[in-house]
Coordinates of all heavy atoms in Angstrom, one line a residue:
F149 N 24.2 -32.4 -15.7 CA 22.8 -32.7 -16.1 C 22.7 -33.3 -17.4 O 22.0 -34.4 -17.6 CB 22.1 -31.4 -16.0 CG 20.5 -31.6 -16.2 CD1 19.9 -32.8 -16.1 CD2 19.7 -30.4 -16.3 CE1 18.5 -32.9 -16.2 CE2 18.3 -30.6 -16.4 CZ 17.7 -31.8 -16.4
M150 N 23.3 -32.8 -18.4 CA 23.3 -33.3 -19.8 C 23.9 -34.7 -19.9 O 23.4 -35.6 -20.5 CB 24.1 -32.4 -20.8 CG 24.1 -32.8 -22.1 SD 25.0 -31.5 -23.2 CE 26.6 -31.8 -22.6
I151 N 25.0 -34.9 -19.1 CA 25.7 -36.2 -19.1 C 24.9 -37.2 -18.5 O 24.8 -38.4 -18.9 CB 27.1 -36.1 -18.5 CG1 28.0 -35.1 -19.3 CG2 27.7 -37.4 -18.4 CD1 28.2 -35.4 -20.7
Q152 N 24.1 -36.9 -17.4 CA 23.2 -37.9 -16.7 C 22.2 -38.3 -17.7 O 21.7 -39.5 -17.7 CB 22.5 -37.2 -15.5 CG 23.4 -37.1 -14.3 CD 22.6 -36.8 -13.0 OE1 21.5 -37.2 -12.9 NE2 23.2 -35.9 -12.2
A153 N 21.7 -37.4 -18.6 CA 20.8 -37.7 -19.6 C 21.3 -38.6 -20.6 O 20.8 -39.7 -20.9 CB 20.2 -36.4 -20.2
M154 N 22.4 -38.2 -21.2 CA 23.0 -38.9 -22.3 C 23.6 -40.3 -21.8 O 23.6 -41.3 -22.7 CB 24.1 -38.1 -23.0 CG 23.6 -36.9 -23.6 SD 25.0 -35.9 -24.3 CE 25.5 -37.0 -25.7
G155 N 24.1 -40.4 -20.6 CA 24.8 -41.6 -20.1 C 23.8 -42.6 -19.5 O 24.3 -43.6 -18.9
G156 N 22.5 -42.3 -19.5 CA 21.6 -43.4 -19.1 C 21.1 -43.2 -17.7 O 20.1 -43.9 -17.3
L157 N 21.7 -42.4 -16.8 CA 21.3 -42.4 -15.4 C 19.9 -41.9 -15.3 O 19.1 -42.4 -14.5 CB 22.2 -41.5 -14.6 CG 22.0 -41.5 -13.1 CD1 22.0 -42.8 -12.5 CD2 23.0 -40.5 -12.5
M158 N 19.4 -40.9 -16.0 CA 18.1 -40.4 -15.9 C 17.0 -41.4 -16.3 O 15.9 -41.4 -15.8 CB 18.0 -39.1 -16.8 CG 18.6 -37.9 -16.1 SD 18.4 -36.3 -17.1 CE 16.6 -36.2 -16.9
S159 N 17.4 -42.3 -17.2 CA 16.4 -43.3 -17.7 C 16.1 -44.2 -16.6 O 15.1 -44.9 -16.7 CB 16.9 -44.0 -18.9 OG 18.0 -45.0 -18.6
L160 N 16.9 -44.3 -15.5 CA 16.8 -45.3 -14.4 C 16.2 -44.6 -13.2 O 15.9 -45.3 -12.3 CB 18.2 -45.8 -14.1 CG 19.0 -46.5 -15.2 CD1 20.4 -46.8 -14.7 CD2 18.2 -47.7 -15.7
T161 N 16.1 -43.3 -13.2 CA 15.8 -42.5 -12.1 C 14.4 -41.9 -12.2 O 14.1 -41.2 -13.2 CB 16.8 -41.4 -11.8 OG1 18.1 -42.0 -11.8 CG2 16.6 -40.8 -10.4
G162 N 13.5 -42.1 -11.2 CA 12.1 -41.5 -11.2 C 11.1 -42.6 -11.2 O 11.4 -43.8 -11.2
E163 N 9.8 -42.1 -11.1 CA 8.7 -43.1 -10.9 C 8.5 -43.7 -12.4 O 8.8 -43.1 -13.4 CB 7.5 -42.4 -10.5 CG 7.6 -41.9 -9.1 CD 7.8 -43.0 -8.1 OE1 7.2 -44.2 -8.3 OE2 8.4 -42.8 -7.1
P164 N 8.0 -45.0 -12.4 CA 7.9 -45.7 -13.6 C 7.1 -45.0 -14.7 O 7.4 -45.0 -15.8 CB 7.2 -47.0 -13.2 CG 7.6 -47.2 -11.8 CD 7.7 -45.8 -11.2
N165 N 6.0 -44.2 -14.3 CA 5.1 -43.6 -15.2 C 5.4 -42.1 -15.3 O 4.7 -41.3 -15.9 CB 3.7 -43.9 -14.9 CG 3.4 -45.3 -15.0 OD1 3.8 -46.0 -16.0 ND2 2.6 -45.8 -14.1
G166 N 6.5 -41.6 -14.6 CA 6.8 -40.2 -14.6 C 7.9 -39.8 -15.5 O 8.4 -40.7 -16.3
M167 N 8.4 -38.6 -15.5 CA 9.4 -38.1 -16.3 C 10.8 -38.7 -15.7 O 10.9 -38.7 -14.5 CB 9.4 -36.6 -16.2 CG 10.6 -35.9 -17.0 SD 10.6 -34.1 -16.9 CE 9.2 -33.7 -17.7
P168 N 11.7 -39.0 -16.7 CA 13.0 -39.4 -16.2 C 13.6 -38.2 -15.4 O 13.4 -37.1 -15.7 CB 13.8 -39.6 -17.5 CG 12.8 -39.9 -18.5 CD 11.5 -39.1 -18.1
M169 N 14.3 -38.5 -14.3 CA 14.8 -37.5 -13.4 C 16.3 -37.6 -13.2 O 16.9 -38.6 -13.2 CB 14.2 -37.7 -11.9 CG 12.6 -37.6 -11.9 SD 12.1 -35.9 -12.3 CE 12.6 -35.0 -10.9
K170 N 16.9 -36.4 -13.0 CA 18.3 -36.4 -12.5 C 18.5 -36.6 -11.1 O 17.4 -36.6 -10.4 CB 18.9 -35.0 -12.9 CG 18.4 -33.8 -12.1 CD 19.1 -32.6 -12.5 CE 18.6 -31.3 -11.7 NZ 18.9 -31.5 -10.3
T171 N 19.6 -36.8 -10.6 CA 19.8 -37.0 -9.1 C 19.8 -35.6 -8.6 O 20.0 -34.5 -9.2 CB 21.2 -37.7 -8.8 OG1 22.2 -36.9 -9.3 CG2 21.2 -39.0 -9.4
G172 N 19.6 -35.5 -7.2 CA 19.6 -34.3 -6.5 C 21.0 -33.6 -6.3 O 21.1 -32.4 -5.8
V173 N 22.0 -34.3 -6.7 CA 23.4 -33.8 -6.5 C 24.1 -34.1 -7.9 O 23.8 -35.1 -8.6 CB 24.2 -34.5 -5.4 CG1 25.7 -34.2 -5.5 CG2 23.6 -34.2 -4.1
A174 N 25.0 -33.2 -8.3 CA 25.7 -33.4 -9.5 C 26.7 -34.7 -9.4 O 27.9 -34.5 -9.4 CB 26.5 -32.2 -9.9
I175 N 26.1 -35.8 -9.3 CA 26.9 -37.0 -8.9 C 27.9 -37.4 -10.0 O 28.9 -38.0 -9.7 CB 25.9 -38.2 -8.6 CG1 26.6 -39.3 -7.9 CG2 25.3 -38.6 -9.9 CD1 27.1 -38.9 -6.5
T176 N 27.7 -37.1 -11.2 CA 28.6 -37.4 -12.3 C 29.8 -36.6 -12.2 O 31.0 -37.1 -12.3 CB 28.0 -37.3 -13.7 OG1 26.7 -38.0 -13.7 CG2 28.9 -37.8 -14.8
D177 N 29.7 -35.3 -11.8 CA 30.8 -34.5 -11.7 C 31.7 -35.0 -10.4 O 32.9 -35.1 -10.5 CB 30.4 -33.0 -11.3 CG 30.2 -32.2 -12.6 OD1 30.8 -32.6 -13.7 OD2 29.5 -31.2 -12.6
V178 N 30.9 -35.4 -9.3 CA 31.6 -35.7 -8.1 C 32.4 -37.1 -8.4 O 33.6 -37.2 -8.1 CB 30.6 -36.0 -7.0 CG1 31.3 -36.7 -5.8 CG2 30.0 -34.6 -6.6
M179 N 31.8 -38.0 -9.1 CA 32.4 -39.3 -9.4 C 33.5 -39.1 -10.4 O 34.6 -39.8 -10.3 CB 31.4 -40.3 -10.0 CG 30.3 -40.8 -9.0 SD 31.0 -41.7 -7.6 CE 31.9 -43.1 -8.5
T180 N 33.5 -38.1 -11.3 CA 34.5 -37.8 -12.2 C 35.7 -37.3 -11.4 O 36.9 -37.7 -11.7 CB 34.1 -36.9 -13.3 OG1 33.0 -37.5 -14.1 CG2 35.3 -36.6 -14.3
G181 N 35.4 -36.5 -10.5 CA 36.5 -35.9 -9.6 C 37.2 -37.0 -8.9 O 38.5 -37.1 -8.7
L182 N 36.5 -38.0 -8.4 CA 37.1 -39.1 -7.6 C 37.8 -40.1 -8.6 O 38.9 -40.5 -8.2 CB 36.0 -39.9 -6.9 CG 35.2 -39.2 -5.8 CD1 34.1 -40.1 -5.3 CD2 36.2 -38.8 -4.7
Y183 N 37.4 -40.3 -9.8 CA 38.1 -41.2 -10.7 C 39.4 -40.4 -11.1 O 40.5 -41.0 -11.3 CB 37.3 -41.5 -12.0 CG 36.5 -42.7 -11.9 CD1 35.2 -42.8 -11.6 CD2 37.1 -44.0 -12.2 CE1 34.5 -43.9 -11.5 CE2 36.5 -45.1 -12.1 CZ 35.1 -45.1 -11.8 OH 34.5 -46.3 -11.7
A184 N 39.3 -39.1 -11.3 CA 40.5 -38.3 -11.6 C 41.5 -38.4 -10.5 O 42.8 -38.6 -10.8 CB 40.1 -36.8 -11.8
T185 N 41.1 -38.4 -9.3 CA 42.0 -38.5 -8.1 C 42.7 -39.9 -8.2 O 43.9 -40.0 -7.9 CB 41.2 -38.3 -6.8 OG1 40.6 -37.1 -6.9 CG2 42.2 -38.4 -5.6
V186 N 41.9 -40.9 -8.4 CA 42.5 -42.3 -8.5 C 43.6 -42.4 -9.5 O 44.6 -42.9 -9.3 CB 41.3 -43.4 -8.7 CG1 41.9 -44.7 -9.0 CG2 40.4 -43.4 -7.5

């Protein structure tokens, strides 16, 4: 959650006039696991 905020993903997610939002899945963790596997 913190990394989504610091890494810019939350600034891109949500309605234009609403609060920045995280994704509904811990997608940064999942993608990190996939990069680690690669």
Side-chain angles (χ1 to χ4, degrees):
F149 186 12
M150 179 177 72
I151 299 297
Q152 286 194 38
M154 295 180 69
L157 183 59
M158 286 182 64
S159 77
L160 306 171
T161 308
E163 294 299 327
N165 298 316
M167 179 184 292
M169 299 294 290
K170 68 179 181 65
T171 62
V173 171
I175 196 66
T176 308
D177 273 342
V178 171
M179 290 300 298
T180 299
L182 293 176
Y183 269 99
T185 304
V186 170

